[in-house]
Amino acid sequence: MGIYDNILKDFEKMPIEQQLESMDDYSSLGLQKMFDYVWEHKTAFRLILRAADGTKHESFVQKLAQKDIDSTNDFYNLLELQGKQVERIDPLIEQLVITGTFSSFFTLLLRDIPKEEAKRGLSQMFRFYRGGWNSLMHFED
């Protein structure tokens, strides 16, 4: 959560045009930092994601997804204030896609596969999800 929060704070400090130009880089950097952290703490994350029922960690993925939903909506609002046209996706679909993104991220990282294979998978996942977001938000490739 802290890694996500720090990347988001740095991103939000930039002017909107710079945010638009560097969104992919910041998203990629954030995922890479999260990847490295989770990889180094796989045992703890396995417990958090598979055996946290009844603990403060039981909604970890949902809480992380909600942070991303909130920041996405803040970004939509900022774009609209700048006069940019934004196609907002249905809130249910947004929740499903973002939660699915984080679920896929953690599922990939917690598999018993070599780190380089997981990194390749993360790169492919990033390009897949980024392509969808760019299409919905009408960003250029």
Side-chain angles (χ1 to χ4, degrees):
M1 292 278 192
I3 293 168
Y4 179 92
D5 289 343
N6 289 336
I7 293 291
L8 183 60
K9 284 177 192 173
D10 288 345
F11 181 76
E12 289 174 340
K13 290 178 186 175
M14 295 187 291
I16 185 67
E17 293 303 323
Q18 190 177 356
Q19 287 182 15
L20 289 169
E21 291 172 12
S22 62
M23 181 181 289
D24 283 355
D25 292 337
Y26 263 76
S27 295
S28 180
L29 175 66
L31 281 176
Q32 185 58 52
K33 285 184 174 187
M34 289 171 60
F35 173 95
D36 291 337
Y37 186 83
V38 172
W39 194 266
E40 293 300 317
H41 301 91
K42 279 177 115 172
T43 302
F45 276 93
R46 279 193 177 109
L47 288 172
I48 289 170
L49 297 169
R50 296 181 181 156
D53 290 350
T55 74
K56 67 180 183 177
H57 302 294
E58 72 180 329
S59 301
F60 176 76
V61 172
Q62 292 79 10
K63 288 177 183 174
L64 191 56
Q66 189 59 53
K67 282 180 175 273
D68 203 48
I69 290 166
D70 293 343
S71 68
T72 300
N73 289 325
D74 290 346
F75 188 66
Y76 284 151
N77 292 335
L78 185 59
L79 289 172
E80 289 170 342
L81 286 172
Q82 297 291 319
K84 300 190 185 305
Q85 193 168 359
V86 175
E87 177 184 353
R88 290 180 181 254
I89 69 172
D90 180 273
L92 174 61
I93 301 306
E94 182 180 35
Q95 181 182 25
L96 291 172
V97 169
I98 290 175
T99 302
T101 302
F102 285 111
S103 293
S104 297
F105 172 83
F106 287 111
T107 298
L108 174 68
L109 265 65
L110 298 180
R111 290 189 172 268
D112 289 323
I113 59 176
K115 187 174 185 177
E116 290 308 312
E117 185 178 340
K119 280 186 174 186
R120 279 192 307 276
L122 180 66
S123 174
Q124 289 176 343
M125 282 178 44
F126 176 78
R127 291 192 328 262
F128 175 82
Y129 282 110
R130 178 55 47 212
W133 281 112
N134 288 349
S135 173
L136 284 170
M137 297 179 96
H138 307 290
F139 291 151
E140 298 194 15
D141 295 335

